């Protein structure tokens, strides 16, 4: 039987009591609780209790969602989390006014409070020092991860690293500058990496190398965010990203899978050598709906024209390479579109035919014509494919492939990248994918001795915020294609590169178009196409407003709550 972390029945009541205590003060517990229930004052007595309490933290990893829920990091996006790869089956755009509440804001601060409680209580728990240090590292890891996401979403945020009673005067403090928050995040992760065990429970709980993987992500984000968003020096963070990546890359236990698709359609990721951390599913315990939503008659969300055209041919050249690319056969037919293209294209999408409202394929339709098949696996049949809440494929959370691409990008941004660096990192990903490897002179990118010259790199769209050199451009492309499962990484990448214009329908019309189906031109089809035959999924457009849409609005209820305590919590620009 597949192993899955499960809360012992006796602990469920423990977790309910202690979780309730995180929303209120410790003194809010009943003075005389039932003798069969724990309270904060009598819970912290063993390693087993600490471990059980730490399991609550893992709910923050959304993976493919929980049971019938569609709050997830893959495929299911909402109005606050969409990117330039996917056109949703219902039009999505940016909020125009600040909401009173924000579920992420609330859940993130609940998790931070829980981590601070762990850090305060664990030192006094009678347990082995090695395990004590490990769980201190676990708490620091999750606190860092959560503050990182808060700064990504909201910028400057209130910060506390101690567990406070609800009546403490320090509960309400002005927001800390995001730069200082990130420095605290990095400090937490560096300390976590020294405290945590090299391996705890294979790859289903966090360990030393999960901390390094997250540190790699955080520092790459911060180095590029400071460079492109804040016009500040980011080199120190990029070097930290490179070093943290190497800590993972030098661990021989981690290796790429032979097949890229297996990251996203495996029934079992426990012990998978490419997966640094996985979210696991088991029938009767926890399921998801990722396959059901992409294998039923419901109209699928679909690939955008902008994303489809980013796939290179197998020679590694962009389809619009200056001087021509003989491997690209055009897009008059679906056969031509997929011919000689990066094999990941056909692994993620059906290449037999398009499917749309007037012409379903095996009962499926897509809002852009491209049928999604990334999560399909022959190992799952029946209700494990078709029934909402009963799908069982596991979700990757941190992977070696991401670390490789973090390393390559950090080197390129530092201006120190060599072909050796590329062979250590991005070329392993490209070789696994089945496309030609890159070489570089430090700023240019070549395949088979041919210099890559993609006209898109210097297009008017790119000039809005500034074009990057060819090597950085190709590494960015590789991130897009490798993670074309619509993880939240793409949205984060767009924002840290200051490329929010990618999401704007006026500045980037291709983001709101789909497949080219010339046979629909001039017909009465319910699926509309433009004069060139590209599917038009929506009758409305989308505008990206800078700087407003680079950050979410601070919930207005929280602004009012802080103000009532005499503290000003400033709203983000444009809101």
């Amino acid at each position: 039987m597949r192993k899955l972390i499960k809360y012992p029945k006796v602990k469920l009541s423990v977790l309910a009591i202690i979780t309730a205590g995180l929303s209120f003060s410790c003194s809010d517990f009943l003075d005389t609780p039932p003798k069969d229930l724990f309270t904060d004052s009598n819970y912290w007595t063993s390693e087993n209790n600490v471990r059980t309490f730490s399991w609550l933290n893992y709910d923050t990893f959304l993976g493919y969602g929980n049971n019938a829920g569609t709050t997830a990091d893959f495929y299911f996006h909402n109005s606050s989390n969409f990117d330039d790869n996917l056109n949703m089956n219902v039009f999505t755009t940016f909020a125009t006014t600040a909401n009173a509440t924000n579920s992420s804001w609330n859940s993130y601060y609940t998790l931070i409070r829980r981590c601070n409680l762990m850090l305060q209580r664990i030192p006094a728990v009678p347990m082995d020092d090695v395990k004590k240090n490990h769980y201190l590292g676990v708490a620091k890891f999750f606190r860092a991860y959560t503050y990182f996401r808060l700064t990504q979403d909201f910028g400057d945020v209130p910060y506390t690293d101690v567990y406070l009673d609800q009546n403490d005067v320090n509960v309400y403090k002005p927001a800390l500058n995001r730069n200082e928050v990130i420095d605290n995040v990095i400090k937490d992760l560096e300390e976590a990496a020294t405290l945590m065990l090299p391996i705890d429970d294979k790859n289903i709980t966090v360990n030393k190398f999960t901390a390094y993987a997250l540190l790699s992500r955080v520092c790459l984000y911060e180095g590029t965010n400071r460079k492109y968003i804040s016009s500040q020096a980011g080199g120190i963070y990029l070097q930290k990203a490179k070093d943290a990546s190497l800590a993972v890359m030098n661990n021989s236990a981690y290796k790429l899978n032979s097949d890229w698709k297996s990251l996203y359609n495996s029934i079992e990721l426990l012990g998978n050598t490419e997966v640094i951390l996985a979210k696991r599913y088991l029938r009767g315990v926890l399921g998801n709906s990722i396959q059901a939503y992409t294998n039923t008659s419901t109209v699928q969300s679909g690939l955008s024209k902008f994303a489809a055209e980013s796939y290179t041919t197998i020679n590694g050249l962009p389809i619009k390479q200056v001087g021509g690319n003989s491997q690209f056969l055009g897009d008059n037919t679906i056969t031509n579109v997929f011919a000689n293209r990066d094999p990941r294209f056909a692994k993620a999408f059906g290449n037999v035919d398009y499917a749309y409202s007037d012409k379903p394929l095996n009962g499926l339709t897509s809002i852009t014509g491209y049928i999604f098949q990334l999560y399909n696996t022959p190992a799952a049949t029946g209700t494990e494919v078709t029934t909402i809440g009963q799908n069982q494929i596991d979700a990757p959370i941190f992977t070696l492939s991401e670390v490789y691409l973090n390393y390559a990008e950090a080197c390129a941004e530092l201006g120190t990248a060599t072909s050796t660096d590329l062979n250590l990192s991005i070329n392993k990903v490209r070789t696994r994918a089945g496309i030609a490897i890159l070489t570089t002179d430090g700023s240019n990118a070549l395949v088979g001795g041919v210099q890559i010259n993609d006209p898109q790199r210097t297009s008017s769209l790119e000039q809005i915020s500034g074009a990057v050199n060819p090597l950085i451009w190709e590494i960015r492309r590789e991130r897009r294609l490798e993670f074309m499962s619509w993880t939240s990484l793409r949205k984060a990448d767009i924002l840290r590169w200051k490329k929010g214009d990618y999401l704007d329908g006026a500045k980037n019309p291709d983001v709101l178009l789909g497949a080219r189906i010339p046979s629909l031109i001039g017909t009465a089809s319910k699926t509309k196409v433009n004069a060139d035959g590209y599917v038009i999924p929506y009758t409305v457009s989308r505008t990206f407003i800078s700087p407003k849409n680079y950050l979410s609005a601070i919930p207005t209820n929280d602004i009012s709550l802080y103000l009532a305590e005499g503290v000003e919590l400033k709203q983000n620009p444009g809101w």
Side-chain angles (χ1 to χ4, degrees), residues 468-505:
V468 296
N469 71 43
L471 179 59
I472 293 175
W473 178 258
E474 291 306 315
I475 291 171
R476 289 182 179 186
R477 183 203 304 277
E478 192 63 31
R479 286 184 68 89
R480 184 179 202 175
L481 304 184
E482 179 68 12
F483 306 136
M484 192 72 81
S485 56
W486 296 298
T487 71
S488 56
L489 288 177
R490 178 61 183 175
K491 176 70 175 292
D493 285 352
I494 291 172
L495 298 184
R496 68 185 173 92
W497 296 330
K498 203 177 182 180
K499 293 296 181 181
D501 302 305
Y502 288 177
L503 304 172
D504 191 301

Side-chain angles (χ1 to χ4, degrees), residues 533-551:
Y534 293 101
V535 172
I536 305 173
Y538 313 121
T539 58
V540 289
S541 188
R542 178 194 300 133
T543 300
F544 184 91
I545 302 172
S546 179
K548 177 179 180 178
N549 295 134
Y550 280 103
L551 293 173

Side-chain angles (χ1 to χ4, degrees), residues 118-432:
M118 288 180 67
L119 289 166
Q120 185 179 92
R121 298 291 187 260
I122 289 174
V125 177
M127 57 190 292
D128 180 80
D129 284 345
V130 171
K131 284 296 187 72
K132 183 178 293 188
N133 285 338
H134 173 73
Y135 285 107
L136 288 171
V138 169
K140 286 178 178 287
F141 172 92
F142 280 101
R143 183 171 69 184
Y145 183 54
T146 309
Y147 272 124
F148 172 55
R149 289 180 296 168
L150 274 167
T151 61
Q152 285 181 300
D153 287 351
F154 303 104
D156 301 347
V157 293
Y159 181 89
T160 182
D161 59 0
V162 295
Y163 182 73
L164 299 172
D165 185 273
Q166 288 291 84
N167 298 319
D168 194 301
V169 294
N170 292 311
V171 166
Y172 298 97
K173 296 193 298 185
L176 188 63
N177 181 279
R178 65 164 309 284
N179 290 4
E180 295 181 66
V181 177
I182 286 293
D183 286 343
N184 287 332
V185 165
I186 292 170
K187 180 175 180 289
D188 265 350
L189 289 174
E190 290 175 336
E191 291 176 356
T194 65
L195 290 168
M196 296 169 76
L197 293 167
I199 188 169
D200 179 35
D201 195 0
K202 292 190 177 179
N203 60 352
I204 60 172
T205 58
V206 298
N207 59 40
K208 177 186 296 291
F209 294 100
T210 325
Y212 279 126
L214 178 55
L215 183 60
S216 167
R217 180 188 294 183
V218 169
C219 291
L220 179 65
Y221 184 96
E222 189 60 15
T224 52
N225 187 82
R226 294 203 185 197
K227 176 179 178 179
Y228 295 108
I229 299 294
S230 305
S231 298
Q232 300 173 355
I236 186 174
Y237 300 97
L238 295 169
Q239 185 61 50
K240 283 179 178 287
K242 180 180 176 181
D243 293 342
S245 299
L246 274 173
V248 178
M249 293 160 58
N250 289 337
N251 184 342
S252 60
Y254 294 117
K255 298 180 179 64
L256 293 180
N257 299 335
S258 60
D259 176 43
W260 169 77
K261 188 173 180 176
S262 67
L263 274 176
Y264 306 105
N265 74 343
S266 292
I267 296 294
E268 182 60 83
L269 289 179
L270 175 66
N272 188 294
T273 60
E274 183 172 351
V275 179
I276 300 168
L277 184 69
K279 178 166 180 171
R280 307 185 66 240
Y281 295 88
L282 178 66
R283 177 181 287 276
V285 179
L286 180 66
N288 61 64
S289 303
I290 195 74
Q291 290 174 281
Y293 276 106
T294 54
N295 283 282
T296 65
S297 58
T298 303
V299 178
Q300 285 188 6
S301 302
L303 187 71
S304 71
K305 176 179 184 289
F306 188 53
E309 292 184 348
S310 67
Y311 283 98
T312 68
T313 45
I314 57 176
N315 59 14
L317 294 174
I319 63 173
K320 297 178 181 178
Q321 166 81 1
V322 173
N325 181 353
S326 61
Q327 286 194 346
F328 179 57
L329 304 184
D331 59 2
N332 283 334
T333 68
I334 192 170
T335 300
N336 285 356
V337 167
F338 281 89
N340 306 321
R341 299 292 284 279
D342 183 324
R344 288 171 294 193
F345 195 4
K347 289 182 178 183
F349 305 94
N351 62 349
V352 175
D353 203 355
Y354 299 120
Y356 45 95
S357 58
D358 300 282
K359 192 175 73 66
L361 180 66
N362 299 324
L364 302 176
T365 62
S366 164
I367 197 166
T368 67
Y370 287 104
I371 289 295
F372 195 71
Q373 63 173 24
L374 179 64
Y375 305 115
N376 292 351
T377 173
T381 59
T383 59
E384 288 201 358
V385 174
T386 61
T387 304
I388 291 173
Q390 294 189 23
N391 305 159
Q392 300 302 322
I393 59 172
D394 290 347
I397 306 300
F398 290 97
T399 66
L400 179 61
S401 52
E402 181 195 346
V403 172
Y404 279 147
L405 295 181
N406 291 349
Y407 177 86
E409 187 177 350
C411 290
E413 288 287 358
L414 284 166
T416 63
T418 65
S419 293
T420 299
D421 287 320
L422 301 186
N423 289 337
L424 284 173
S425 56
I426 187 174
N427 283 338
K428 292 184 178 182
V429 175
R430 291 170 70 93
T431 298
R432 190 262 297 274

Side-chain angles (χ1 to χ4, degrees), residues 44 89 106 213 241 297 367 437 451 507:
W44 303 95
N89 56 8
N106 293 336
S297 58
I367 197 166
I437 65 171
Q451 184 165 315
K507 297 172 183 174

